[in-house]
Amino acid sequence: MPRRHRISFAESAVAELEEMRRWYDDQGVPEVGERLLREVIAKVERLARFPQSGRMVPEFGLPQLREIIHPPLRIVYRLDQERARVVRVWRSERLLQVP
């Protein structure tokens, strides 16, 4: 049986998910934010078994920096031998920028 990757979230990704949920709360549709959050978690949990299932982030072209597109979001993660670390969760129409 293939080895499972550990999953972790960077503080930046957690903050973005919290901000997304607050935005939907402010719009008066908290159920949409909750549903989207559950969907993101389900997509990320899949990485434990299929860590390379996301595509390389086109703006960088690095094999270890990958993303899952879940409209309207981009779930960006860094992949190494044992772990998939979610580093950003952004609206899909935004381009990533090097800090």
Side-chain angles (χ1 to χ4, degrees):
M1 176 175 236
R3 178 171 41 103
R4 293 176 64 94
H5 274 61
R6 290 179 302 137
I7 304 297
S8 65
F9 284 81
E11 286 182 34
S12 56
V14 172
E16 289 161 347
L17 288 170
E18 289 174 350
E19 180 181 330
M20 174 197 69
R21 191 164 72 178
R22 270 193 310 274
W23 186 85
Y24 283 104
D25 282 348
D26 292 346
Q27 300 304 307
V29 287
E31 65 279 0
V32 174
E34 291 295 325
R35 187 196 74 221
L36 196 52
L37 183 60
R38 284 191 308 271
E39 291 170 355
V40 166
I41 297 300
K43 294 284 185 181
V44 170
E45 285 176 343
R46 179 181 155 90
L47 294 175
R49 291 195 54 168
F50 305 103
Q52 294 185 352
S53 60
R55 70 177 188 170
M56 281 194 305
V57 176
E59 292 91 334
F60 294 98
L62 301 171
Q64 70 272 20
L65 193 60
R66 306 182 81 79
E67 68 182 350
I68 299 168
I69 304 297
H70 183 69
L73 303 173
R74 297 171 76 179
I75 305 163
V76 180
Y77 65 99
R78 184 172 180 82
L79 185 62
D80 65 28
Q81 293 289 335
E82 299 176 3
R83 179 175 72 168
R85 181 169 178 78
V86 178
V87 293
R88 301 303 302 249
V89 181
W90 280 11
R91 298 278 308 183
S92 57
E93 67 272 8
R94 291 174 62 186
L95 294 177
L96 294 177
Q97 297 175 343
V98 177

